[in-house]
Coordinates of all heavy atoms in Angstrom, one line a residue:
G344 N -8.6 8.1 17.3 CA -8.9 7.1 18.2 C -9.0 5.7 17.6 O -8.6 4.7 18.1
E345 N -9.6 5.7 16.4 CA -9.8 4.4 15.7 C -8.5 3.8 15.4 O -8.4 2.5 15.4 CB -10.6 4.7 14.4 CG -12.1 5.1 14.6 CD -12.3 6.6 14.6 OE1 -11.3 7.3 14.7 OE2 -13.4 7.0 14.4
E346 N -7.5 4.6 15.1 CA -6.2 4.0 14.7 C -5.6 3.2 16.0 O -5.2 2.0 15.8 CB -5.2 5.0 14.3 CG -3.8 4.5 14.0 CD -2.8 5.6 13.6 OE1 -3.2 6.7 13.5 OE2 -1.6 5.2 13.4
A347 N -5.7 3.8 17.1 CA -5.2 3.2 18.3 C -6.0 1.9 18.6 O -5.4 0.9 19.0 CB -5.3 4.1 19.5
A348 N -7.3 2.0 18.4 CA -8.2 0.9 18.7 C -7.9 -0.3 17.8 O -7.8 -1.4 18.2 CB -9.6 1.3 18.7
F349 N -7.8 0.0 16.5 CA -7.6 -1.1 15.5 C -6.2 -1.7 15.6 O -6.0 -2.8 15.4 CB -7.9 -0.6 14.1 CG -9.3 -0.7 13.7 CD1 -10.2 0.4 13.8 CD2 -9.8 -1.9 13.3 CE1 -11.5 0.2 13.5 CE2 -11.2 -2.1 13.0 CZ -12.0 -1.0 13.1
R350 N -5.2 -0.8 16.0 CA -3.9 -1.4 16.2 C -3.9 -2.4 17.4 O -3.3 -3.4 17.4 CB -2.8 -0.3 16.4 CG -2.5 0.5 15.1 CD -1.3 1.4 15.4 NE -1.1 2.3 14.2 CZ -0.4 2.0 13.1 NH1 0.1 0.7 13.0 NH2 -0.2 2.8 12.2
A351 N -4.7 -2.0 18.4 CA -4.8 -2.9 19.5 C -5.5 -4.2 19.1 O -5.2 -5.3 19.6 CB -5.6 -2.2 20.7
L352 N -6.5 -4.1 18.3 CA -7.2 -5.3 17.8 C -6.3 -6.2 17.0 O -6.4 -7.4 17.0 CB -8.5 -4.9 17.0 CG -9.6 -4.2 17.8 CD1 -10.7 -3.8 16.8 CD2 -10.2 -5.3 18.8
G353 N -5.5 -5.5 16.2 CA -4.5 -6.3 15.4 C -3.5 -7.1 16.3 O -3.2 -8.2 16.0
R354 N -3.1 -6.4 17.4 CA -2.2 -7.1 18.3 C -2.9 -8.2 19.0 O -2.4 -9.3 19.3 CB -1.7 -6.1 19.4 CG -0.7 -5.1 18.8 CD 0.1 -4.4 19.9 NE -0.8 -3.6 20.7 CZ -1.2 -2.3 20.4 NH1 -0.7 -1.7 19.3 NH2 -2.0 -1.6 21.2
A355 N -4.2 -8.0 19.3 CA -5.0 -9.1 19.9 C -5.1 -10.3 19.1 O -5.0 -11.5 19.5 CB -6.4 -8.6 20.3
H356 N -5.2 -10.1 17.8 CA -5.2 -11.2 16.8 C -3.9 -11.9 16.8 O -3.8 -13.1 16.8 CB -5.5 -10.7 15.4 CG -5.3 -11.7 14.3 ND1 -6.2 -12.8 14.2 CD2 -4.3 -11.9 13.5 CE1 -5.7 -13.6 13.2 NE2 -4.6 -13.1 12.8
D357 N -2.8 -11.1 16.8 CA -1.4 -11.7 16.8 C -1.2 -12.6 18.0 O -0.5 -13.6 17.9 CB -0.4 -10.6 16.7 CG -0.4 -9.8 15.4 OD1 -1.0 -10.4 14.4 OD2 0.1 -8.7 15.3
E358 N -1.7 -12.1 19.1 CA -1.4 -12.8 20.4 C -2.4 -14.0 20.7 O -1.9 -15.0 21.3 CB -1.5 -11.8 21.5 CG -0.5 -10.7 21.5 CD -0.8 -9.6 22.5 OE1 -1.8 -9.6 23.2 OE2 0.0 -8.6 22.4
S359 N -3.6 -13.9 20.2 CA -4.6 -14.9 20.6 C -5.3 -15.5 19.4 O -6.1 -16.5 19.6 CB -5.6 -14.3 21.6 OG -6.4 -13.4 20.9
G360 N -5.2 -15.0 18.3 CA -5.9 -15.5 17.1 C -7.3 -15.0 17.0 O -8.1 -15.4 16.1
T361 N -7.7 -14.1 17.9 CA -9.0 -13.5 17.9 C -9.2 -12.5 16.8 O -8.3 -11.8 16.4 CB -9.3 -12.7 19.2 OG1 -9.1 -13.6 20.3 CG2 -10.7 -12.2 19.3
G362 N -10.3 -12.5 16.2 CA -10.6 -11.5 15.1 C -9.8 -11.7 13.9 O -9.8 -12.8 13.3
A363 N -9.1 -10.7 13.5 CA -8.4 -10.7 12.2 C -7.2 -9.7 12.3 O -7.1 -8.8 13.1 CB -9.3 -10.3 11.1
P364 N -6.2 -9.9 11.4 CA -5.0 -9.0 11.4 C -5.5 -7.6 10.8 O -6.4 -7.6 10.0 CB -4.0 -9.7 10.4 CG -4.9 -10.6 9.6 CD -6.0 -11.0 10.5
V365 N -4.9 -6.5 11.3 CA -5.2 -5.2 10.8 C -3.9 -4.5 10.4 O -2.9 -4.5 11.1 CB -5.8 -4.4 12.0 CG1 -6.1 -3.0 11.5 CG2 -7.1 -5.0 12.5
T366 N -3.9 -3.9 9.2 CA -2.8 -3.2 8.6 C -3.3 -1.7 8.4 O -4.3 -1.5 7.8 CB -2.3 -3.7 7.3 OG1 -2.0 -5.1 7.5 CG2 -1.1 -3.0 6.8
W367 N -2.5 -0.8 9.0 CA -2.9 0.6 8.9 C -1.8 1.4 8.2 O -0.6 1.5 8.7 CB -3.1 1.1 10.4 CG -3.8 2.4 10.4 CD1 -3.4 3.7 10.1 CD2 -5.2 2.6 10.9 NE1 -4.3 4.6 10.3 CE2 -5.5 4.0 10.8 CE3 -6.1 1.7 11.4 CZ2 -6.7 4.5 11.2 CZ3 -7.4 2.2 11.8 CH2 -7.6 3.6 11.7

């Protein structure tokens, strides 16, 4: 589940600049 969640967080960063990029 963490993989799906962090990939979504990475996309959120790409789209809005929120948070940070995530590489898995």
Side-chain angles (χ1 to χ4, degrees):
E345 292 93 343
E346 179 181 357
F349 273 97
R350 288 189 186 278
L352 289 174
R354 290 193 296 273
H356 170 76
D357 294 341
E358 294 168 2
S359 67
T361 304
V365 179
T366 303
W367 195 288

